[in-house]
């Protein structure tokens, strides 16, 4: 028999004229199958028997296709006998045979035998009469849902098929069972002899077929994304597609991209209803139990283990497999039984009573654990299960959480750990799990994480004492300074004895361990105090003083930071910072916040390389522990280091990496100013003012503005106002920043040089007295701190406001900044000095260079830019010694470019320093070479060196 092949391509199966109509919808993309059945009917008229089996998943359209064939055969003059097997007639003998013969006079005498069950062994009521009738007029037998046949009707049909070779009779059946698990007549065995045997497996609709269905039901072409969503959500199942589109069309929505989610929701609802209807048809309690076990285990357990989970049953495994397939809810994939799709799986599980469901999940988890299944698979079974009460459950859930974190599934990891807390736990294990959960929640639910860690800090008892400081450390890293301050303050009200004088029996001794823990709590409280927002509530007592001499890294880290923010003893700050970063002699695990403060202190003492080494070590440690908030904080501080050392591109990369670890939407509201400030400074340094303006304009929670972090944001907004040439707003913002910092005793200009920035704004506004006062005050504080960068920046600021000693101030600024990591201030000093010495205007014009800084654990830094330069120990001479006539021919822009080129700056760096394009720098240097009659940079340097030697 010649059967036309299914056409390839998206156009296959489309109606030939116009478009599909609603009447054609059940037979959409069934052209090939219709052609096959037409050929079978044509050959049957010629006396050739046939056996045709139509299979497919539930809803594939087997019934519609069989009914079409019955109509087609009737129109061709054939006798058609139809029947449909149902679950209700599975126990009725010859139920389907009775349907086939009922209503036909030729078989009226055989119906009593069928109804009374009088057919004995080897007797098939009505079969001989059917064969006789077929010889007079060809007969087509159509049986729907053949997988539901009662045993006697099944044997009757098999007997009929064995007698087909010499009879003009065709048997057309439809069902959901595949050939290798179905009926023997499907394979073309010798039972059928010379009869034609065909098996038609109905596929789902293609994207093109789904598009036709959308057009037929909705009356218009569907958007491509809408069609794709419907095809994916329904799996191309024709019945599901039809029902979904009809409900969607009744809602009156157009099939466009804006209603994709609505279509998905309707598809899920339709699939669920079909699954519920199929579930109602599962009558056998053993099959139902196995079906529920399959739904719970999915593909985690092999079928024999699923049977063991479901419990003993009376059905043989062969019949049980058939019953599962007959339900339409189970399919075979890669040789394994699985419930069809997540929606059907969820519906099977939802139909169970809650207690029975929780118990089944618990038993499934235990069985999977014994079978050495994957940790996350066992963890998924434990999530909805009742408490198991066994140690393996908590261990498995913790391992599953670690695996989920490695895969970037933080929500899942948090769910595993939350489930672990419902098991019976020892006090120590419970707190450890709480800390692991809080570490994850700092990224996905920061406010909840703060409450959780605040509870650990407040928790009494000796066991909690060992974890209290760790909880406070994490809480500070997450930015919840309010919760940290309150919880630590409530604990400290009780004094050192609140840790328990007995302590834990460990080395170095119970008393020393308790003292060390109390010192850590005190140190963290002193950090949280200036960072928290102002409050009118009842104040707790101030934190106790830290010991002046201590080997505790937390004490040394906080002491170093306090000395740095005061700006009064650089050597003490440096020494304590290095002690904080050394291993703890007692072997206690170090806290992160004090070490970050120590690294920040080294950054302020201009020991940048040493700070960067320690930051890289902290970053590696945070990655090992998979603590995203720690990784983000370390990257943020390293971004500030890059800004201070003139590497804004590296700062932007670190900040982008921090955003991946701790997304902006996942940060605690109180930390918004910290991150916003760092983003603004980085964008300004990378010449992205529009992005910086957008960040500065975003709203910040009001409590967050009333803190030192809010002062950082004021400073960054002041820089933005200065870049926008708005000195009034800039001065107001810088002075507001200063008021907040002074309120908390932060006077070091290396943190935030707000005085010099406010002085420049006041000078631009003509307020010379205020400008001089602020500039002198900053220079005095910078000299007290003693770092070359802070001193040089203050000298440069003062030099732009005084006339009598400007040249000496500029030379001193160049000398100081030449030994500092700040790039922008050094460049400004060189250009200003060159302008004064070469007869420029009386007032040195500062170069517009971005002022950058960072916000480590509560501060920002002095000016810096992305210009790279060779380090020098003495101030290089500008172009003053080049012959005067030649020098006068250079424009101010050419003189500035030449001065920087002599000192080794690349064209890109000169462009950044002078706020011009690289092409402009190239043109200016070309003009310099032409006017001085030299060939390039080497000749320029030689010319300057020669005049110096003279």
């Amino acid at each position: 028999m010649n059967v036309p092949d299914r056409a390839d391509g998206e156009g296959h199966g489309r109606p030939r004229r116009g478009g599909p109509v609603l009447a054609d919808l059940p037979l959409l993309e069934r052209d090939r199958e219709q052609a096959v059945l037409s050929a079978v009917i044509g050959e049957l008229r010629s006396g050739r028997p046939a056996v045709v089996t139509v299979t497919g998943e539930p809803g594939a359209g087997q019934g519609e296709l069989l009914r079409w064939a019955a109509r087609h055969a009737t129109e061709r003059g054939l006798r058609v006998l139809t029947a449909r097997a149902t679950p209700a007639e599975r126990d009725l003998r010859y139920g389907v045979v009775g349907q086939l013969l009922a209503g036909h006079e030729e078989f009226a005498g055989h119906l009593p035998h069928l109804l009374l069950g009088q057919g004995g062994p080897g007797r098939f009521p009505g079969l001989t009469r059917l064969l006789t009738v077929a010889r007079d007029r060809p007969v087509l037998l159509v049986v729907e849902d053949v997988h539901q046949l009662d045993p006697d009707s099944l044997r009757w049909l098999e007997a009929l098929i064995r007698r087909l070779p010499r009879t003009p009779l065709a048997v057309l059946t439809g069902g959901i069972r595949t050939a290798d698990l179905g009926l023997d007549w499907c394979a073309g065995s010798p039972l059928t002899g010379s009869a034609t045997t065909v098996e038609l497996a109905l596929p789902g609709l293609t994207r093109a077929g789904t598009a036709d269905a959308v057009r037929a039901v909705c009356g218009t072409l569907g958007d491509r994304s809408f069609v794709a969503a419907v095809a994916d959500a329904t799996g191309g199942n024709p019945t599901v597609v039809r029902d979904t589109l009809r409900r969607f069309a009744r809602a009156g929505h157009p099939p466009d991209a804006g209603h994709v989610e609505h279509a998905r929701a309707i598809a899920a609802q339709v699939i669920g209803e079909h699954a519920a209807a199929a579930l109602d048809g599962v009558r056998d309690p053993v099959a139902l139990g196995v079906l529920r076990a399959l739904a719970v285990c999915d593909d985690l357990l092999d079928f024999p283990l699923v049977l063991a989970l479901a419990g003993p049953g009376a059905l043989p495994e062969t019949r049980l497999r058939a019953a599962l397939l007959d339900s339409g809810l189970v399919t075979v994939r890669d040789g394994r039984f699985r419930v069809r799709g997540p929606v059907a799986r969820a519906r099977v599980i939802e139909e169970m009573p809650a207690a029975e469901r929780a118990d089944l999940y618990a038993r499934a988890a235990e069985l999977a654990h014994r079978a050495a299944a994957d940790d996350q698979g066992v963890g998924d079974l434990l999530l909805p299960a009742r408490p198991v009460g066994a140690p393996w459950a908590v261990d498995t859930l913790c391992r599953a959480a670690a695996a989920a974190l490695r895969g970037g599934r933080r929500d899942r990891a948090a769910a595993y750990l939350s489930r672990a807390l419902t098991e019976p736990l020892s006090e120590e294990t419970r707190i450890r799990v709480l800390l692991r959960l809080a570490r994850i929640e700092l990224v996905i639910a920061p406010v909840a994480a703060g409450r959780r860690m605040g509870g650990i800090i407040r928790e009494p008892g000796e066991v909690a004492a060992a974890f209290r400081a760790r909880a406070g450390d994490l809480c500070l890293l997450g930015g919840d300074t309010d919760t940290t301050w309150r919880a630590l303050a409530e604990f400290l009200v009780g004094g050192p004895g609140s840790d328990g004088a007995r302590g834990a029996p460990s080395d170095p001794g119970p008393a020393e361990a308790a003292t060390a823990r109390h010192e850590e709590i005190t140190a963290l409280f002193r950090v949280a105090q200036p960072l928290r927002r102002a409050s009118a509530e009842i104040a707790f007592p101030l934190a106790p003083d830290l010991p002046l001499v201590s080997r505790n890294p937390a004490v040394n880290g906080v002491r170093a930071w306090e000395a740095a923010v005061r700006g009064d003893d650089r050597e003490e700050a440096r020494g304590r910072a290095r002690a904080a970063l050394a291993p703890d002699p007692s072997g206690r695990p170090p806290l992160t916040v004090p070490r970050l403060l120590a690294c920040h202190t080294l950054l302020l003492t201009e020991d940048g390389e040493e700070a960067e080494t320690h930051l890289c070590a902290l970053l590696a440690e945070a990655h090992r522990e998979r603590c995203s908030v720690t990784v983000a904080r370390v990257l943020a501080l390293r971004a500030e280091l890059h800004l201070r050392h003139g590497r804004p591109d590296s700062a932007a990369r670190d900040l982008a990496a921090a955003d991946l670890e701790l997304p902006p939407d996942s940060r605690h509201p109180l930390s918004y100013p910290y991150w916003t400030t760092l983003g603004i400074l980085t964008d300004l340094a990378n010449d992205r003012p529009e992005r910086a303006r957008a960040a500065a304009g975003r709203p910040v929670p009001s409590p967050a503005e009333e803190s030192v972090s809010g002062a950082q944001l004021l400073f960054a907004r002041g820089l933005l106002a200065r870049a926008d040439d708005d000195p009034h707003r800039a001065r107001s913002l810088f002075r507001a920043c200063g008021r907040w910092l002074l309120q908390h005793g932060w006077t070091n200009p290396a943190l935030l040089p707000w005085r010099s920035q406010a002085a420049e704004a006041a000078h631009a506004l003509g307020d010379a007295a205020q400008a001089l006062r602020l500039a002198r005050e900053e220079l005095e504080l910078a000299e007290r701190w003693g770092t070359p960068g802070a001193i040089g920046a203050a000298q440069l600021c003062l030099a732009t406001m005084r006339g009598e000693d400007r040249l000496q101030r500029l030379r001193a600024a160049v000398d100081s900044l030449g030994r500092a990591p700040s790039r922008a201030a050094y460049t400004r000093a060189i250009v200003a000095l060159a302008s004064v010495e070469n007869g420029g205007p009386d007032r040195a014009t500062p170069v517009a260079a971005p002022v950058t800084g960072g916000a480590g654990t509560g501060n920002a830094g002095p000016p810096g830019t992305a210009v790279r330069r060779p380090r020098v120990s003495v101030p290089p001479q500008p172009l003053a010694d080049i012959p005067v006539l030649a020098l006068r021919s250079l424009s101010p822009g050419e003189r500035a470019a030449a001065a920087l080129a002599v000192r080794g700056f690349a064209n890109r760096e000169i462009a950044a320093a002078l706020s011009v394009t690289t092409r402009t720098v190239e043109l200016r240097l070309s003009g310099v070479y032409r006017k001085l009659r030299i060939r390039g940079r080497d000749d320029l340097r030689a010319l300057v060196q020669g005049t110096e030697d003279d």
Side-chain angles (χ1 to χ4, degrees):
M1 180 179 63
N2 296 324
V3 178
D5 293 333
R6 183 182 294 280
D8 293 332
E10 291 189 357
H12 138 75
R14 296 185 183 226
R16 299 294 181 266
R17 295 183 299 274
V21 295
L22 288 175
D24 299 327
L25 197 58
L27 299 175
L28 195 61
E29 293 193 318
R30 297 291 181 251
D31 295 351
R32 177 177 178 272
E33 290 78 8
Q34 288 176 294
V36 170
L37 294 177
S38 294
V40 168
I41 292 170
E43 291 183 351
L44 178 60
R45 294 184 64 196
S46 302
R48 183 176 178 83
V51 179
V52 181
T53 302
V54 181
T55 61
E57 67 175 12
Q62 301 94 315
E64 287 85 354
L65 192 60
L66 265 60
R67 288 189 286 274
W68 175 88
R71 292 193 301 271
H72 186 62
T74 301
E75 293 170 359
R76 302 289 294 273
L78 301 179
R79 186 188 302 275
V80 179
L81 308 181
T82 62
R84 181 177 184 180
T86 63
E89 295 183 351
R90 287 291 291 268
D91 298 328
L92 179 64
R93 294 190 66 190
Y94 299 113
V96 168
V97 177
Q99 292 184 48
L100 288 170
L101 303 183
H104 299 276
E105 295 180 0
E106 297 89 339
F107 311 111
H110 299 274
L111 290 179
H113 295 281
L114 295 174
L115 298 175
L116 297 175
Q118 296 175 358
R123 301 289 300 275
F124 300 102
L127 182 58
T128 303
R129 180 59 180 162
L130 175 61
L131 294 173
T132 302
V133 170
R135 291 187 182 97
D136 297 333
R137 181 183 176 188
V139 175
L140 175 67
L141 264 70
V142 180
V143 182
E144 297 183 41
D145 296 335
V146 71
H147 56 280
Q148 302 281 8
L149 278 174
D150 62 272
D152 293 291
S153 295
L154 175 60
R155 287 191 296 270
W156 191 92
L157 282 175
E158 289 175 343
L160 172 64
I161 291 171
R162 285 196 295 269
R163 293 164 172 76
L164 281 183
R166 291 175 296 276
T167 306
L169 188 148
V171 178
L172 174 59
T173 63
I176 63 175
R177 209 183 304 179
T178 55
D180 58 337
L181 295 171
L183 305 172
D184 292 337
W185 66 65
C186 301
S189 66
L191 292 176
T192 59
S194 60
T196 300
T197 59
V198 179
E199 181 177 1
L200 299 176
L202 301 183
L205 295 179
T206 63
R207 292 286 176 91
T210 305
D212 287 339
V214 171
R215 183 180 179 186
V217 177
C218 299
T220 182
L221 290 174
D223 184 83
R224 180 174 298 179
S225 61
F226 181 86
V227 172
V230 171
D232 292 340
T234 61
N237 186 288
T239 303
V240 178
V241 169
R242 179 195 63 198
D243 294 347
T244 298
L245 292 176
R246 285 178 176 172
R247 293 190 188 185
F248 181 84
R250 282 198 295 268
H253 299 308
D256 54 21
H259 294 87
V260 164
E261 293 305 319
H262 183 57
R264 289 184 187 276
I266 292 178
Q269 183 181 5
V270 169
I271 293 173
E273 292 175 359
H274 288 191
L279 189 61
D280 290 339
V282 181
R283 303 297 179 87
D284 192 292
V286 176
L288 182 61
V290 175
L291 181 62
R292 289 173 171 176
L294 274 175
V296 164
C297 297
D298 198 14
D299 61 344
L300 192 63
L301 298 179
D302 294 331
F303 193 67
L305 293 177
V306 173
L307 295 180
L309 175 64
L315 283 180
E317 185 172 332
T318 304
R319 284 191 60 190
L320 183 58
R321 289 172 178 264
L324 291 174
L325 291 170
D326 292 347
S327 70
L329 294 168
V330 176
T331 184
V332 180
R333 255 181 279 170
D334 301 327
R336 304 184 66 147
F337 280 73
R338 299 189 64 181
V339 177
R340 292 180 183 272
V343 176
R345 184 167 166 257
R347 183 55 64 97
V348 171
I349 295 172
E350 289 169 2
E351 293 293 329
M352 300 173 61
E356 183 180 342
R357 180 169 61 242
D359 181 70
L360 181 59
Y361 269 110
R363 291 188 290 109
E366 184 173 1
L367 190 59
H369 168 68
R370 291 179 180 177
D374 175 69
D375 285 331
Q376 291 193 71
V378 180
D380 290 339
L381 293 176
L382 284 170
L383 286 179
R386 57 167 171 76
V388 176
W392 65 263
V394 177
D395 295 339
T396 301
L397 287 165
C398 290
R399 289 196 303 269
L405 277 181
R406 288 194 295 271
R409 302 172 63 199
R410 295 190 182 97
D411 290 341
R412 204 63 176 173
Y416 291 139
L417 294 176
S418 297
R419 170 63 180 81
L421 291 172
T422 65
E423 293 287 334
L425 300 173
S426 67
E427 190 66 14
E428 180 177 351
T429 303
R430 184 183 65 83
I431 296 179
R432 289 186 183 276
V433 174
L434 279 172
L435 279 174
R436 291 185 64 180
L437 176 58
R439 189 181 300 169
I440 298 171
E441 287 180 333
L442 283 171
V443 181
I444 60 176
V447 177
R451 288 196 297 266
R452 197 179 297 279
M453 288 182 289
I456 295 175
I457 295 171
R458 295 181 178 93
E459 191 164 328
E462 296 179 1
V463 176
F467 302 96
R468 193 170 288 122
R470 181 68 55 190
D473 189 54
L474 275 175
C475 206
L476 277 178
L477 285 171
D480 192 354
T481 53
D482 244 16
T483 297
T484 310
W485 183 85
R486 293 171 187 273
L488 293 176
E490 290 177 15
F491 169 76
L492 289 172
V493 165
S498 57
D499 247 342
R502 296 178 299 278
S506 61
D507 189 21
E512 293 182 16
T515 300
R517 290 195 296 265
H518 194 271
E519 287 178 350
E520 289 176 343
I521 294 294
T522 304
L524 293 176
F525 180 69
R526 293 177 73 93
V527 174
Q529 265 191 320
L531 295 178
R532 69 179 296 271
R533 66 183 177 92
S535 176
E537 299 175 7
I538 299 175
F540 288 95
L542 294 177
D545 288 334
L546 292 172
L548 295 177
V549 179
S550 176
R551 301 173 66 187
N552 191 321
V555 173
N556 285 317
V558 174
R559 279 286 192 186
W561 179 246
E562 290 177 343
V565 297
R566 290 194 308 269
D568 55 4
D569 196 334
R570 182 179 52 158
E571 291 306 319
E572 180 193 358
R574 178 185 285 129
R576 287 190 177 274
R578 289 171 176 167
L581 294 167
D584 190 344
S586 66
R588 291 172 55 79
L591 302 178
T592 301
V593 168
R595 288 184 291 168
L596 279 177
L597 294 175
C599 290
H600 209 152
T601 300
L602 292 177
L603 191 57
L604 296 179
T605 60
E606 298 185 3
D607 298 295
E609 293 182 1
E610 185 178 353
E612 188 167 9
T613 300
H614 288 295
L615 285 175
C616 290
L618 278 173
L619 187 62
E621 177 186 310
H623 277 300
R624 284 195 302 271
E625 295 179 353
R626 301 196 178 277
C627 185
S628 295
V629 67
T630 303
V631 172
R633 285 287 182 164
V634 175
L635 286 170
L637 185 53
R638 197 171 69 174
E640 179 183 347
L641 184 147
H642 290 317
L643 288 175
R644 289 174 178 268
H645 288 74
R647 300 189 293 264
D649 49 350
S650 298
R653 284 194 296 270
D654 274 353
L655 194 56
D659 287 344
L660 291 176
E661 291 288 339
L662 187 64
D665 294 340
S666 299
R667 293 166 184 163
H668 195 279
L670 293 178
S671 68
Y672 283 2
Y674 168 83
W675 292 102
T676 304
T677 300
L678 189 55
I680 293 172
L681 297 177
T682 303
D683 288 335
L684 286 175
N686 284 283
D687 195 22
R688 294 182 294 197
E690 292 302 325
R691 182 169 168 174
R693 290 189 192 96
R698 283 193 285 268
V700 176
S702 56
E705 292 182 335
E706 303 168 358
S707 64
V708 170
S709 297
Q712 297 172 343
L713 185 55
L714 291 172
F715 182 81
R717 287 171 173 168
L719 295 180
L720 192 58
R722 195 194 70 178
D724 292 338
D725 197 21
D726 187 354
H728 285 282
R729 176 171 169 76
R731 180 173 66 170
S732 175
L733 289 168
F734 289 133
R735 293 185 65 182
C737 165
R739 285 193 295 271
W740 276 105
L741 294 179
L742 291 176
Q743 178 179 339
H744 295 288
W746 289 23
T747 58
N748 191 344
L751 287 164
L752 288 172
W754 64 270
R755 294 176 183 83
S756 58
Q757 299 299 328
E760 289 188 7
H763 190 70
L765 294 171
D767 193 346
Q770 185 184 72
L772 279 174
R773 179 178 60 80
L774 290 171
R776 287 170 178 161
E777 185 178 335
E778 176 147 318
L779 179 58
E780 179 183 349
L781 293 171
E783 288 175 342
R784 188 177 72 175
W785 177 238
T787 55
I791 294 173
Q795 289 171 332
L796 179 60
C797 175
L798 189 59
T800 61
M801 301 170 191
R802 298 188 55 165
E804 64 276 6
D805 55 353
R806 177 174 298 121
L807 188 59
Q808 290 77 11
R809 291 282 185 191
L810 287 173
R811 286 175 176 170
V814 170
D815 183 24
S816 298
L817 294 173
R819 294 178 282 109
S822 176
R823 309 299 177 93
Y826 176 76
T827 305
R828 293 177 66 198
I830 288 178
V831 175
L833 181 60
S835 178
V836 171
E837 290 189 324
N838 294 334
D842 182 61
R843 178 183 178 275
T845 303
V847 178
V851 179
T852 65
T857 311
N859 58 301
T865 188
V867 179
R868 293 181 174 86
R869 55 164 181 76
R871 290 189 66 84
V872 292
S873 56
V874 296
Q877 296 295 323
L879 302 179
D881 295 321
I882 296 179
V884 174
L885 292 177
L887 185 61
R888 287 178 179 174
S889 64
L890 301 181
S891 67
E894 290 172 338
R895 285 198 297 270
L900 295 175
V902 166
R903 289 154 182 83
F905 289 86
N907 288 356
R908 179 176 58 84
E909 297 169 333
I910 297 173
L914 300 179
S915 297
V916 296
T917 64
T918 304
R919 178 59 178 164
T920 301
V921 173
E922 294 172 353
L923 294 174
R924 289 180 180 179
L925 290 179
S926 296
V928 170
Y929 304 152
R930 184 180 66 256
K931 292 176 182 179
L932 299 181
R933 298 181 181 182
I934 56 179
R935 290 175 295 181
R937 290 183 180 235
D938 292 340
D939 290 351
L940 182 61
R941 280 192 288 268
L943 179 61
V944 174
Q945 183 65 38
T947 57
E948 290 175 357
D949 293 341
D950 294 341

